[in-house]
Amino acid sequence: QVQLQESGGGSVQSGGSLRLSCVVSGYTYRRYYMGWFRQAPGKEREGVASIHTGGGDIFYADSVKGRFTISQDNAKNTLYLQMNSLKPEDTAMYYCATGVYGGLGRDEYDYWGQGTQVTVPH
């Protein structure tokens, strides 16, 4: 019943910025954590950033620290990922997820969106 819908992906030049959004609907229990993950072809899905729905416990992957910012608007049931100084290695399908235990491990999340593609050409 829980549904997540990402948007905001696209193609951007190296050094550019994008803001991803994830709207969550239909949940029947309290959503404890939300996270952003990404997966490039031939690679494992990796955690990018996570946040508790109460606003704390923010985590970032080392590869995006200082460049990406996770935030949320609880009134809109929306999660955001502001991505600045994008690099070609950021190219991936980006997914949002929610679960009762957060962090950057994918097994801690129960519900996933379909993903939005981010492409940063060389």
Side-chain angles (χ1 to χ4, degrees), residues 5 11 15 39 41 44 47-48 56 65 67 69-70 73 82 92-93 102-103 109 113 116 120-121:
Q5 180 65 61
S11 181
Q39 187 168 21
E44 296 290 325
V48 174
K65 286 180 180 177
R67 299 189 298 121
T69 302
I70 188 170
D73 186 337
Q82 178 66 47
M93 184 73 74
Y109 294 84
T116 185
V120 186

Side-chain angles (χ1 to χ4, degrees), residues 22-59:
C22 173
V23 179
V24 183
S25 63
Y27 55 88
T28 58
Y29 63 92
R30 188 176 185 272
R31 184 172 63 255
Y32 287 168
Y33 291 90
M34 298 189 72
W36 287 101
F37 293 76
R38 66 186 182 185
Q39 187 168 21
K43 295 185 178 180
E44 296 290 325
R45 187 172 298 187
E46 63 173 344
V48 174
S50 69
I51 187 171
H52 191 276
T53 53
D57 289 344
I58 296 176
F59 298 91

Side-chain angles (χ1 to χ4, degrees), residues 12-24:
V12 64
Q13 295 295 314
S14 181
S17 299
L18 285 172
R19 188 178 75 158
L20 306 183
S21 299
C22 173
V23 179
V24 183

Side-chain angles (χ1 to χ4, degrees), residues 71-92:
S71 62
Q72 61 191 343
D73 186 337
N74 291 107
K76 297 180 179 179
N77 297 320
T78 302
L79 179 74
Y80 302 100
L81 185 68
Q82 178 66 47
M83 305 184 295
N84 298 326
S85 301
L86 283 161
K87 306 174 181 179
E89 48 263 48
D90 296 317
T91 296

